């Protein structure tokens, strides 16, 4: 029911912001929960929620948080569009402007998009970390990060802008995935090799796969961006992986000859995965597998690892 007092988590989901953002608004601006029952956490009343909705709308439109908080505390109703325009006059902007389209993604993605437009790295990082802790890597990538990153790309194509937004969000995503990878610390030999195609510089999806593998307890090696075919073949010969994932984001970097070179490596068996939208299914050499998404790539890697465990008698659990 709308009139029932709400927990911080429920309010965060309604507004599309991180719980840590609510805490900041409470501590800095006094926009906290007002209902208190002895022995229980404070709860947000409908009036509290209305004030927070004002805060969210105004900050998303570029009003500074301090000014938005002052308006939220003194206004009994949600302000119309003209209010934000009047408040912005003579005040500094904290981001805002154009919105980032996220399609049919949920409130968390919309909240992340608003934080990205404000270049609010703290909220961006908190939102990503909360999602990873709650939902895991694959669900966070598919439901939260991909829609926002795609929306930023769409806006960039249309306006040639948002480069600053894209760089900041990408850095926050990389840091969050790196934290997951460090926390996972898979044991055993790294039998999965992750690499970008030659001249491919988009690494985030490959970082997402690395984090998902670490989360699942699968060891891997990550070579990163722009790996020439000869260098990748050399790495395969040196490390002897059971599977190689080659990521291509764009058609110009998706040269099937790179995959053919891997298939020609004498060591067998070697599973070659062509991941990413750059690859065309009708140009892939026979024997190459093309996962449709992150979840399938993780499943294939797990199948490889399980097969190795069974052949050696190891127990990954």
């Amino acid at each position: 029911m709308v009139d029932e007092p709400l927990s911080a988590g429920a309010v965060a989901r309604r507004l599309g912001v991180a719980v840590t953002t609510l805490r900041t608004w409470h501590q800095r601006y006094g926009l906290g929960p007002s209902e208190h029952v002895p022995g229980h956490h404070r709860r947000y009343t409908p009036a509290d929620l209305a004030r927070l909705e004002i805060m969210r709308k105004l900050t998303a439109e570029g009003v500074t948080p301090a000014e938005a908080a002052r308006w939220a505390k003194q206004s009994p109703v949600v302000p119309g569009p003209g209010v934000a325009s009047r408040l912005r006059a003579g005040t500094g902007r904290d981001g805002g402007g154009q919105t980032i389209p996220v399609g049919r993604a949920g409130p968390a993605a919309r909240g992340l998009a608003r934080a990205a437009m404000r270049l609010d790295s703290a909220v961006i990082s908190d939102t990503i970390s909360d999602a990873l802790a709650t939902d895991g890597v694959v669900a966070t990538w598919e439901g939260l990060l991909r829609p926002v990153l795609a929306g930023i790309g769409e806006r960039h194509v249309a306006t040639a802008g948002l480069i600053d937004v894209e760089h900041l969000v990408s850095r926050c995503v990389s840091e969050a995935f790196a934290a997951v990878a460090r926390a996972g610390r898979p044991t055993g030999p790294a039998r999965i090799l992750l690499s970008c195609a030659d001249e491919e510089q988009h690494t985030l999806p490959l970082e997402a796969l690395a984090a998902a593998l670490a989360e699942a307890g699968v060891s891997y090696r990550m070579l990163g961006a722009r790996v020439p075919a000869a260098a990748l073949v050399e790495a395969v010969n040196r490390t002897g992986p059971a599977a190689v994932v080659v990521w291509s984001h764009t058609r110009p970097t998706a040269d099937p000859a790179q995959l053919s070179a891997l298939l020609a490596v004498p060591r067998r068996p070697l599973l070659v995965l062509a991941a990413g939208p750059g690859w065309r299914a009708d140009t892939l050499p026979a024997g190459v597998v093309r996962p449709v998404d992150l979840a399938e790539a993780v499943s294939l890697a797990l199948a490889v690892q399980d097969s190795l465990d069974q052949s050696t008698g190891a127990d990954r659990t």
Side-chain angles (χ1 to χ4, degrees), residues 177 207 251 278 314:
F177 284 153
E207 293 172 42
R251 291 289 170 83

Side-chain angles (χ1 to χ4, degrees), residues 77-165:
V77 295
V78 176
V83 172
S85 299
R86 292 196 298 272
L87 286 173
R88 283 198 299 270
T91 64
R93 291 180 65 85
D94 185 28
Q98 293 175 314
T99 59
I100 296 171
V102 295
R104 302 173 70 177
R110 294 193 293 273
L112 180 60
R114 288 191 293 268
M117 288 301 298
R118 299 194 303 270
L119 297 178
D120 192 335
S121 58
V123 172
I124 293 170
S125 297
D126 287 345
T127 301
I128 296 171
S129 297
D130 290 348
L132 288 171
T134 303
D135 303 322
V137 173
V138 173
T140 297
W141 174 254
E142 297 293 348
L144 176 67
L145 299 177
R146 273 190 63 189
V148 174
L149 292 167
I152 293 172
E154 180 182 325
R155 279 288 181 260
H156 174 68
V157 170
T159 67
L162 299 194
I163 295 175
D164 53 342
V165 174

Side-chain angles (χ1 to χ4, degrees), residues 106-271:
R110 294 193 293 273
L112 180 60
R114 288 191 293 268
M117 288 301 298
R118 299 194 303 270
L119 297 178
D120 192 335
S121 58
V123 172
I124 293 170
S125 297
D126 287 345
T127 301
I128 296 171
S129 297
D130 290 348
L132 288 171
T134 303
D135 303 322
V137 173
V138 173
T140 297
W141 174 254
E142 297 293 348
L144 176 67
L145 299 177
R146 273 190 63 189
V148 174
L149 292 167
I152 293 172
E154 180 182 325
R155 279 288 181 260
H156 174 68
V157 170
T159 67
L162 299 194
I163 295 175
D164 53 342
V165 174
E166 190 274 334
H167 282 195
L168 178 64
V169 173
S170 295
R171 179 181 63 79
C172 292
V173 173
S174 290
E175 290 175 351
F177 284 153
V180 173
R182 287 193 300 271
R185 292 191 179 90
T187 59
R191 307 304 296 275
I192 311 294
L193 184 62
L194 309 180
S195 172
C196 282
D198 192 6
E199 296 303 322
E200 179 57 65
Q201 301 185 64
H202 294 78
T203 63
L204 283 185
L206 206 61
E207 293 172 42
L209 176 55
L213 292 177
E215 186 178 60
V218 177
S219 297
Y220 63 88
R221 285 186 178 88
M222 164 78 86
L223 298 185
R226 303 179 66 178
V227 180
L232 182 54
V233 168
E234 185 177 353
V236 169
N237 286 324
R238 182 178 296 123
T239 63
V244 181
V245 180
V246 185
W247 170 265
S248 171
H249 190 73
T250 59
R251 291 289 170 83
T253 65
D255 183 356
Q258 302 170 84
L259 307 176
S260 297
L262 291 172
L263 293 173
V265 172
R267 186 186 181 282
R268 283 290 189 269
L270 177 64
L271 176 64

